[in-house]
Amino acid sequence: MSWPWLVLLVLAAVLGVAVEKPRLERRFGAAARRDRDRQKRKKQLRVVTSDDESEEFIRSVQKDLDSLPTIEERDRKT
């Protein structure tokens, strides 16, 4: 193979990569990584519907509220 054919082969490869770059970036780029991470996070979410879980949630919130530090309010008349 002579050098002009090698140059044409390299140019064809570069042209092929340049043409496919947008599709490759959609599949393997930073935006694709963000989308995959978002899909993983969405799979871990769940909908709370039963009454037992809502009561458990209420108890949990009440416990958290009870554990918050409080201050005693003074009379504002002074």
Side-chain angles (χ1 to χ4, degrees):
M1 204 182 258
S2 63
W3 67 270
W5 292 111
L6 286 175
V7 170
L8 284 175
L9 181 64
V10 169
L11 288 175
V14 168
L15 180 64
V17 169
V19 167
E20 294 297 322
K21 186 177 179 181
R23 185 167 29 165
L24 291 173
E25 283 183 351
R26 268 196 316 267
R27 178 169 242 166
F28 301 110
R33 175 173 287 283
R34 281 192 305 272
D35 290 341
R36 286 191 304 270
D37 290 342
R38 182 171 185 258
Q39 290 300 323
K40 285 180 188 176
R41 287 192 310 269
K42 285 176 70 173
K43 285 181 183 179
Q44 295 176 353
L45 296 176
R46 63 186 176 97
V47 177
V48 178
T49 56
S50 91
D51 291 335
D52 295 337
E53 291 176 349
S54 65
E55 289 174 8
E56 179 183 334
F57 175 74
I58 291 170
R59 283 192 305 270
S60 172
V61 169
Q62 187 63 40
K63 185 181 101 178
D64 291 342
L65 288 174
D66 290 341
S67 68
L68 288 174
T70 59
I71 59 170
E72 293 183 24
E73 294 187 27
R74 298 182 182 167
D75 292 334
R76 295 185 180 230
K77 294 178 182 178
T78 57

